[in-house]
């Protein structure tokens, strides 16, 4: 089975980090979001990837060559950001069998086995999550047998509480691409984009049966707040640890905390929900709900709800910061920098 993953977006909600780093490579719980996804797919048995790339695609190619050198990956460039239907259309030359389609701004915990055990009458599976704030999402309306009848984007009325999370298994890929062609030949949506979900509606309208399946959890990685919430979830689910190669002196830890190798921390309070990546240095500070990138330095600071990029320096700051790689932030009134 192949997986199609659109990666071309600019990640505007995660700026300034995505000026230098593609959104799928932004790190959470010590690893890029993309790595969390790929490891799940490899465990499931996916053996080939199709990446739709664009923004900073050379960084993604370099990362994959270093981190997953033996994984077959096809790269297709999406020159025009015309939506999810346009992105998946570019994968068609490689879509010669069953497909998984997913997006790299969320992490999920789901049973993928329906993709292996789907009986012949079903053309696809769409995974959903029941939500209370249905008006924020595209929701899937189902019949009595659990089959999708339609998708409604951000409904004003609770026609359904099953949110579409962006994870799909496609058995009838020929009909999917027929639907995508129909969508691309139609007027664009209100945002000027073409939506993959409209192609699913095309499939259903022509008699295809699309099964819904639940996910256990679904976590946003597309914004600073979402990234920090996902960091907490991953740490609480087994990702918390303090490396034996870290040096902590006069520090207090409030779990969950991840402290990687070569971290130096002195006279600081760390946690809850703090990740310190390899080689970070924290001195005389208090950090809560914060991710500090590799080789970054935080001194004399009290930070909460913060993202500190790799190699950045934060000195004497109290409050919340969102600092990209190799930046320097110094509080007013600080006598001298680190």
């Amino acid at each position: 089975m192949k997986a199609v993953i659109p990666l071309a977006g600019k990640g505007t909600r995660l700026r300034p980090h995505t000026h230098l780093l593609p959104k799928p490579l932004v790190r959470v719980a010590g690893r890029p979001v993309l790595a969390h996804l790929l490891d799940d797919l490899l465990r499931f048995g996916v053996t080939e990837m199709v990446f739709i790339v664009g923004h900073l695609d050379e960084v993604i190619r370099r990362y994959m060559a270093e981190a997953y050198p033996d994984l077959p990956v096809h790269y297709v460039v999406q020159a025009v950001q015309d939506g999810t239907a346009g992105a998946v259309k570019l994968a068609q030359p490689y879509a010669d069998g069953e497909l998984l389609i997913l997006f790299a701004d969320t992490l999920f915990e789901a049973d993928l086995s329906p993709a292996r055990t789907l009986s012949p009458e079903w053309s696809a599976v769409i995974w959903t999550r029941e939500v209370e704030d249905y008006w924020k999402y595209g929701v899937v309306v189902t019949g009595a047998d659990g089959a999708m009848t339609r998708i409604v984007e951000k409904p004003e009325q609770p026609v359904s509480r099953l949110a579409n999370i962006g994870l799909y298994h496609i058995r009838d890929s020929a009909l999917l691409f027929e639907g995508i062609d129909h969508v691309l030949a139609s007027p664009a949506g209100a945002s000027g984009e073409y939506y993959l979900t409209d192609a699913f509606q095309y499939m259903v309208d022509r008699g295809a049966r699309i099964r819904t399946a639940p996910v256990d959890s679904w976590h946003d990685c597309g914004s600073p707040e979402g990234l920090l919430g996902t960091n907490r979830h991953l740490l609480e689910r087994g990702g918390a640890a303090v490396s034996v190669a870290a040096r902590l002196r006069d520090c207090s830890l409030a779990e969950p905390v991840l402290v990687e190798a070569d971290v130096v921390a002195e006279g600081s309070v760390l946690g809850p929900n703090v990740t310190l990546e390899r080689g970070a240095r924290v001195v005389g500070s208090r950090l809560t709900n914060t991710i500090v990138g590799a080789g970054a330095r935080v001194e004399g600071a009290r930070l909460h709800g913060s993202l500190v990029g790799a190699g950045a320096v934060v000195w004497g700051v109290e409050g919340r910061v969102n600092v990209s790689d190799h930046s320097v932030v110094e509080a007013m009134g600080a006598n001298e920098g680190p």
Side-chain angles (χ1 to χ4, degrees):
M1 188 178 295
K2 297 177 182 178
V4 176
I5 309 181
L7 304 173
K10 294 183 178 180
T12 55
R13 292 189 297 156
L14 277 171
R15 288 176 178 167
H17 305 277
T18 48
H19 286 308
L20 299 175
L21 198 65
K23 180 174 63 173
L25 297 187
V26 172
R27 299 172 71 86
V28 60
R31 307 189 66 213
V33 173
L34 181 60
H36 291 285
L37 287 173
L38 291 180
D39 288 354
D40 285 344
L41 292 175
L42 292 173
R43 280 191 291 269
F44 179 64
V46 173
T47 57
E48 196 171 336
M49 305 289 169
V50 183
F51 286 175
I52 314 303
V53 295
H55 178 61
L56 297 174
D57 67 293
E58 70 282 0
V59 181
I60 292 176
R61 294 172 194 256
R62 185 166 60 248
Y63 171 78
M64 291 299 298
E66 295 172 354
Y68 296 88
D70 299 323
L71 178 61
V73 181
H74 305 284
Y75 294 94
V76 187
V77 176
Q78 186 179 19
V80 178
Q81 303 296 302
D82 57 357
T84 53
V88 174
K89 169 66 177 177
L90 296 172
Q92 188 170 6
Y94 305 101
D96 53 358
E98 298 189 21
L99 303 174
L100 281 173
I101 302 173
L102 63 158
F103 296 87
D105 53 4
T106 58
L107 295 180
F108 56 85
E109 294 173 356
D111 176 11
L112 296 181
S113 64
R116 294 289 191 208
T117 61
L118 199 63
S119 55
E121 72 268 21
W122 298 101
S123 297
V125 181
I126 178 171
W127 278 264
T128 61
R129 173 78 170 175
E130 188 166 336
V131 297
E132 291 300 320
D133 48 350
Y134 57 86
W135 58 88
K136 294 182 180 179
Y137 304 99
V139 297
V140 179
V141 181
T142 62
D145 59 355
M148 169 189 151
T149 58
R150 59 193 176 110
I151 292 182
V152 182
E153 287 295 330
K154 299 181 179 179
E156 295 182 2
Q157 302 298 323
V159 294
S160 170
R161 297 184 185 274
L162 294 178
N164 166 30
I165 71 156
L167 172 61
Y168 318 103
H169 167 239
I170 307 299
R171 167 179 282 165
D172 191 348
S173 56
L175 184 58
L176 171 69
F177 285 104
E178 182 182 311
I180 289 175
D181 288 338
H182 173 79
V183 171
L184 295 177
S186 304
S191 65
E193 296 186 343
Y194 300 93
Y195 302 112
L196 184 62
T197 50
D198 290 337
F200 297 147
Q201 189 66 59
Y202 177 95
M203 294 175 69
V204 170
D205 292 345
R206 279 145 187 84
R209 301 189 70 210
I210 297 180
R211 175 183 168 185
T212 56
V215 296
D216 296 325
S217 64
W218 170 39
H219 305 280
D220 175 33
C221 296
S223 68
E225 298 78 11
L227 201 69
L228 289 167
T230 300
N231 189 72
R232 175 185 285 274
H233 173 78
L234 292 174
L235 296 190
E236 290 177 341
R237 291 296 298 268
V242 177
S243 171
V244 295
R247 289 176 288 165
L248 276 60
R249 187 177 69 181
D250 298 327
C251 289
S252 173
L253 305 184
E255 297 292 346
V257 173
L258 171 62
V259 181
E260 294 190 337
D262 302 322
V263 166
V264 175
E266 301 175 357
S268 296
V269 179
L270 307 174
N273 189 25
V274 166
T275 290
L276 305 181
E277 294 196 23
R278 180 179 292 269
R281 179 181 177 89
V282 179
V283 177
S285 298
R286 170 149 196 170
L287 308 182
T288 60
N289 198 35
T290 291
I291 297 173
V292 178
R297 301 170 63 188
V298 178
E299 300 196 22
R302 296 174 64 87
L303 302 181
H304 64 90
S306 295
L307 300 178
V308 179
V313 175
V314 176
W315 174 261
V317 174
E318 182 170 351
R320 177 181 297 168
V321 299
N322 188 15
V323 182
S324 62
D325 294 359
H326 311 298
S327 299
V328 176
V329 178
E330 181 178 337
M332 291 182 62
N335 292 326
E336 59 182 50

